[in-house]
Amino acid sequence: MGADSGQAVERVAVVGPGAIGTAVAAVLHEAGRTPVLCGRTPRADLTLVDGERRVVVPGPVHTDPGAPAETVDVLLLAVKATQTAAAAPWLRRLCGPGTVVGVLQNGVEQVAAVRPHVPPGVEVVPAVVWFPAQAQADGTVRLRGEPRLTLPEGPGAQRVAAALRGTRCRVDLAADFADLAWRKLLQNAAAGIMALTGRRAGVFTRPDVADLTRAYLRECLAVARAEGATLGDDTPEAVLGGFQAAPADMSTSILTDREAGRPLEWDIRNGVVSRLGRVHGVPTPIGDTLATLLAATSDGPG
């Protein structure tokens, strides 16, 4: 089933009902558009907690991509980047000729990473996810900000925006998407320090950690500019200030993954800075060190 940007999307799937996937599924359900839920763990429903609001999204979460399934208009891929290949059977099963895949993942290489796993003719649209959502020990997800996505301008992005129209998730279409994606990558790269220290946002109020973060972000900024981003000189200070102004107990997905013993998204958040730095001849000594330590933390041995 296809739908142009002026029509209501009839069928939406969320693949990867973790923290971000649950939040997006919840806002769709609130608007009367309960999505098809697909993931690795069978669940009867999903629960989002937002202050005093509690949204229960009816399932089930489907776990067998080999079972018969209809194709969808819009597929929102919310698995971690480390799980993209594992989600490929869902992409093949749920994508038809008119499907658009919106990638709700970190990084600046989303399209290149996902496109090999979708059928020919399926458009892949990258997104910047601006809101924090955290999985809780009881299986619920806590939303800690207003849901907001940014997509690049274009017909595919308009289809994704149409799928979320009327929900409380704000969707912006941006001509300067590459700048915004790199701005978010700087934030994600700095969050790697939280995974290495085992500390939450309060760690950035330490003067020594703040100095290290500032220097690292300047390396990241140089690489972003070499890639064509037009971020200002004040970007590193603004990113650091955002961490320092956050609640001291604010976590991040890469720290949550470390605490749970899961593989870390170190390559698409930190390794990419070193890789692209080498391509452009931009030195990244701090980034190289952090990426090596994060890789060892994630992958071992030991």
Side-chain angles (χ1 to χ4, degrees):
M1 294 177 291
D4 64 35
S5 60
Q7 295 176 316
V9 173
E10 297 179 16
R11 190 167 172 85
V12 180
V14 174
V15 176
I20 296 301
T22 293
V24 173
V27 300
L28 284 165
H29 176 65
E30 286 179 313
R33 278 172 269 151
T34 306
V36 178
L37 304 173
C38 305
R40 296 180 302 172
T41 304
R43 299 183 63 177
D45 52 43
L46 306 174
T47 301
L48 182 74
V49 178
D50 179 10
E52 298 300 316
R53 185 184 313 193
R54 189 178 184 92
V55 182
V56 178
V57 185
V61 175
H62 301 282
T63 59
D64 180 10
E70 296 182 43
T71 59
V72 296
D73 297 283
V74 172
L75 187 153
L76 300 174
L77 182 64
V79 300
K80 296 289 181 65
T82 54
Q83 301 165 343
T84 297
W90 284 117
L91 294 170
R92 291 191 294 268
R93 172 64 65 176
L94 295 171
C95 289
T99 303
V100 173
V101 176
V103 186
L104 310 186
Q105 293 179 340
N106 293 313
V108 293
E109 302 169 304
Q110 298 163 329
V111 175
V114 174
R115 183 171 283 153
H117 301 295
V118 302
V122 171
E123 184 171 359
V124 178
V125 178
V128 179
V129 179
W130 294 109
F131 61 93
Q134 294 175 222
Q136 305 297 296
D138 62 359
T140 65
V141 169
R142 182 183 178 192
L143 183 63
R144 301 190 64 163
E146 291 299 317
R148 181 166 71 94
L149 304 174
T150 300
L151 313 174
E153 291 182 336
Q158 291 174 0
R159 292 272 306 282
V160 176
L164 289 162
R165 187 173 297 135
T167 75
R168 59 189 175 105
C169 180
R170 172 180 160 187
V171 180
D172 300 315
L173 304 185
D176 60 345
F177 178 81
D179 286 355
L180 296 172
W182 272 100
R183 170 64 173 74
K184 179 63 183 295
L185 183 71
L186 263 66
Q187 180 179 319
N188 284 334
I193 293 172
M194 298 166 70
L196 287 174
T197 60
R199 302 289 180 181
R200 301 194 174 198
V203 75
F204 293 101
T205 62
R206 285 181 57 107
D208 51 357
V209 173
D211 287 343
L212 173 65
T213 304
R214 192 178 288 112
Y216 177 40
L217 289 171
R218 287 172 181 155
E219 289 183 1
C220 296
L221 177 62
V223 174
R225 286 174 168 173
E227 279 285 295
T230 57
L231 300 176
D233 291 342
D234 60 343
T235 304
E237 203 63 44
V239 171
L240 174 60
F243 282 112
Q244 292 174 330
D249 68 341
M250 179 74 79
S251 188
T252 181
S253 61
I254 195 168
L255 173 58
T256 302
D257 285 342
R258 181 184 178 181
E259 292 171 339
R262 293 188 289 261
L264 307 183
E265 291 183 316
W266 66 269
D267 187 52
I268 59 107
R269 298 169 66 125
N270 299 89
V272 61
V273 176
S274 296
R275 284 190 280 107
L276 293 178
R278 288 190 291 272
V279 169
H280 296 289
V282 177
T284 57
I286 297 172
D288 296 347
T289 301
L290 294 181
T292 298
L293 293 174
L294 285 165
T297 299
S298 175
D299 307 333

